[in-house]
């Protein structure tokens, strides 16, 4: 009789232990955007393991993330993540600190509302990020607005200040003037006391850029923009070009840039091939061309960028001098539609992904 009792006890213990094992394994899973290489229809939401925290990393419970051109290239197999980084899409996220890994400072607490630049992994329920890249979400700003900040604002800030060294009174030509990066750059140029001219593919996009502070805008689909830029600068040309187009704009950029101009190349939407007497033209105008990327930069560089941005720009979101520009939002399950919209050039500003939708998050705002 005693033996039967012991057996029953052991059986119950086994059932309880295995139930616990199943539930803690489930606790460690999360929903995340997954894809098979190819078109936007190949995106879907799957269950994957939550990221494990490394030294000085924080786990963010993601409320919102966003789409960037780099995600569309990664989906096509053209832009793999840097070695060691998450292969889940998503270069930014906003949410709350869920937990902190070993060696973290005391700067952040569980439950803090944060946003972060990421090397990947944002289009999911949880993402790990170095604590040095966390930024506080300004008071009064919701998660949708916050997710529209890290990637494009830090990129635009880097292009203008770390690379292009824009000075007060200068003129900056911004291509893709209504893009995510472009709408941030236009506002940052004004903040720096400089003047911007944009190019974009429709009157509506130009009107948005002008409403954000651009002095003029030209529709590149209506012919050569370079003479118009020269006319707008009394024949001098622009001091800085933020160029995300490359190949197809090469001749016009060369005409539109001033002597001693700085040409910051950060994208190749118009191709990467040029021909002609490129060096002769660069030489004559003493133009410096700098190519730059952000995702593959060192943690030290990104930390400096984030620190400088928090000091110089973040307060202006609170004062209302600058604002994130959001075109629309999609739930995580509709991420394929979000990619399609971006690839059709329909957005002005950011396309945000809601991982937790409004109705679920009211209490936490
Ligand atoms: N190097 C870096 O660190 C870095 C970081 C972030 C982003 N980027 C690059 O920055 C660029 C903008 O990114 P984003 O996320 O802000 O993009 P976005 O919001 O998707 O906007 C891009 C816009 O560029 C215009 N465009 C597309 N193809 C074009 C072409 N062939 N010629 C001229 N204009 C074209 C389209 O607007 P229109 O209707 O006006 O044509 C499109 O809506 C991308 O090239 C991206 O790869 C680089």
């Amino acid at each position: 009789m005693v033996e039967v009792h012991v057996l029953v006890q052991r059986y119950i213990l086994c059932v309880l232990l295995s139930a616990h094992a199943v539930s803690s394994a489930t606790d460690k899973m999360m929903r995340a955007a997954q894809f098979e290489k190819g078109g936007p229809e190949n995106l879907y939401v799957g269950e994957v393991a939550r990221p494990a925290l490394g030294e000085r990393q924080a786990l963010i419970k993601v409320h919102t993330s966003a789409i960037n051109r780099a995600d569309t290239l990664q989906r096509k197999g053209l832009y793999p993540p840097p070695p060691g980084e998450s292969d889940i899409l998503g270069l930014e996220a906003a949410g709350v600190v869920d937990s902190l890994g070993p060696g973290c400072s005391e700067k952040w607490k569980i439950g803090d509302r944060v946003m972060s630049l990421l090397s990947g992994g944002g289009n999911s329920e949880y993402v790990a990020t170095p604590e040095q890249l966390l930024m506080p979400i300004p008071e009064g700003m919701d998660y949708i607005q916050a997710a529209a900040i890290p990637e494009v604002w830090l990129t635009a800030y880097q292009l203008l200040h770390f690379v292009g060294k824009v000075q007060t009174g200068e003129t900056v030509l911004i291509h893709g003037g209504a893009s995510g990066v472009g709408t941030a750059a236009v506002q940052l140029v004004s903040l720096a006391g400089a003047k911007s001219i944009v190019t974009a593919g429709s009157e509506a996009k130009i009107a948005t850029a002008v409403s954000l502070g651009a002095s003029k805008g030209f529709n590149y689909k209506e012919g050569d923009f370079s003479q118009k830029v020269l006319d707008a600068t009394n024949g001098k040309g622009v001091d800085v070009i933020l160029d995300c187009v490359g190949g197809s704009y090469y001749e016009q950029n060369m005409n539109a840039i001033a002597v001693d101009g700085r040409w910051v190349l950060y994208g190749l939407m118009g191709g990467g091939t040029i021909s002609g007497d490129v060096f002769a033209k660069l030489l004559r105008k003493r133009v410096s061309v700098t190519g730059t990327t952000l995702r593959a930069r060192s943690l030290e560089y990104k930390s400096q960028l984030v620190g400088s941005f928090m000091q110089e720009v973040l307060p202006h979101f609170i004062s209302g001098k600058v604002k994130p520009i959001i075109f629309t939002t999609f739930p995580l399950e509709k991420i394929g539609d979000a990619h399609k919209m971006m690839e059709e050039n329909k957005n002005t500003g950011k396309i945000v992904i809601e991982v937790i939708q409004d109705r679920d998050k009211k209490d936490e705002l």
Side-chain angles (χ1 to χ4, degrees):
M1 193 58 200
V2 172
E3 271 179 19
V4 171
H5 185 69
V6 169
L7 280 175
V8 169
Q9 267 188 340
R10 276 192 192 155
Y11 175 74
I12 291 171
L13 191 64
C14 275
V15 169
L16 285 175
L17 280 175
S18 56
H20 176 72
V22 168
S23 84
S24 49
T26 318
D27 287 350
K28 299 277 182 269
M29 300 300 281
M30 65 174 188
R31 291 183 304 129
Q34 305 281 282
F35 64 96
E36 308 294 338
K37 204 160 92 180
E41 67 285 356
N42 289 6
L43 280 155
Y44 61 94
V45 174
E47 286 271 316
V48 298
R50 278 190 207 175
L53 285 183
E55 192 73 20
R56 292 199 69 186
Q57 284 192 332
L59 190 68
I60 302 177
K61 181 173 195 252
V62 179
H63 283 239
T64 49
S65 183
I67 301 291
N68 288 280
R69 284 273 156 173
D71 300 316
T72 64
L73 294 176
Q74 186 170 332
R75 192 204 69 228
K76 291 178 193 159
L78 302 173
Y79 191 52
E85 300 294 350
S86 170
D87 58 5
I88 297 171
L89 300 173
L91 298 178
E92 57 206 327
V96 292
V97 174
D98 177 85
S99 48
L100 293 160
C104 277
S105 66
E106 298 194 342
K107 185 170 175 197
W108 303 101
K109 301 187 306 298
I110 289 166
D112 281 350
R113 299 172 76 238
V114 291
M115 53 190 177
S116 182
L117 179 72
L118 305 167
S119 298
N123 298 163
S124 61
E125 286 183 307
Y126 292 88
V127 66
T129 187
E131 65 158 345
Q132 300 94 313
L133 301 187
L134 291 175
M135 295 186 280
I137 298 178
E139 208 162 309
M141 181 181 276
D142 65 26
Y143 292 113
I144 291 174
Q145 292 171 303
I149 293 176
E151 173 70 12
V152 296
W153 281 83
L154 285 166
T155 295
Y157 185 74
Q158 181 211 13
L159 301 176
L160 286 167
H161 294 287
F162 279 42
V163 184
K165 311 267 186 222
V166 68
Q167 303 297 314
T168 307
E170 287 190 326
T171 304
V172 183
L173 176 60
I174 301 171
H175 295 311
S179 65
V181 177
T183 51
V186 165
Q187 297 180 73
L188 287 174
V189 166
S190 301
L191 206 58
K195 198 168 102 176
S196 62
I197 298 174
V198 300
T199 64
S202 73
E203 293 312 313
K205 287 189 174 186
I206 289 167
T208 300
V210 168
S211 75
L212 293 172
S215 66
K216 276 197 172 7
F218 303 116
N219 186 340
Y220 69 89
K221 292 177 182 165
E222 289 174 355
D224 190 337
F225 58 77
S226 63
Q227 190 53 49
K228 295 173 191 162
V229 171
L230 287 171
D231 292 344
T233 54
N234 300 321
K236 175 182 177 236
V238 292
D239 304 291
V240 180
I241 300 180
L242 302 191
D243 183 14
C244 55
V245 176
S248 60
Y249 277 7
Y250 153 68
E251 293 276 359
Q252 295 178 74
N253 279 335
M254 195 60 97
N255 290 340
I257 199 161
V259 171
D260 291 318
R262 286 102 67 204
W263 182 339
V264 181
L265 180 69
Y266 71 103
L268 293 173
M269 288 189 295
T273 308
I274 53 174
S275 61
D277 54 348
V278 184
F279 284 145
K281 285 180 170 155
L282 286 176
L283 193 71
R284 249 179 261 133
K285 277 193 161 177
R286 300 192 299 266
V287 169
S288 42
V289 181
T290 311
T292 187
T293 59
L294 181 54
R295 192 185 192 185
R297 296 265 187 184
S298 68
L299 177 57
E300 193 189 353
Y301 181 95
K302 289 180 190 170
S303 309
Q304 275 175 15
L305 183 67
V306 165
S308 178
F309 180 82
M310 284 204 294
Q311 197 174 319
E312 303 295 331
V313 184
L314 218 48
H316 297 295
F317 285 101
I318 300 165
S319 72
K321 238 181 183 173
V322 299
K323 57 182 181 189
I325 304 301
I326 292 137
F327 185 65
T328 191
T329 67
F330 285 94
L332 182 62
E333 284 68 24
K334 298 266 185 202
I335 193 167
D337 293 346
H339 275 227
K340 187 164 177 283
M341 179 178 272
M342 177 167 273
E343 287 177 311
E344 288 171 351
N345 299 331
K346 286 189 175 153
N347 58 299
T348 293
K350 295 289 291 183
I351 301 174
V352 170
I353 297 297
E354 292 190 79
V355 178
I356 298 177
Q357 288 192 266
D358 268 326
R359 61 179 178 279
D360 305 326
K361 71 178 186 215
K362 279 194 193 101
D363 299 341
E364 291 187 59
L365 243 182

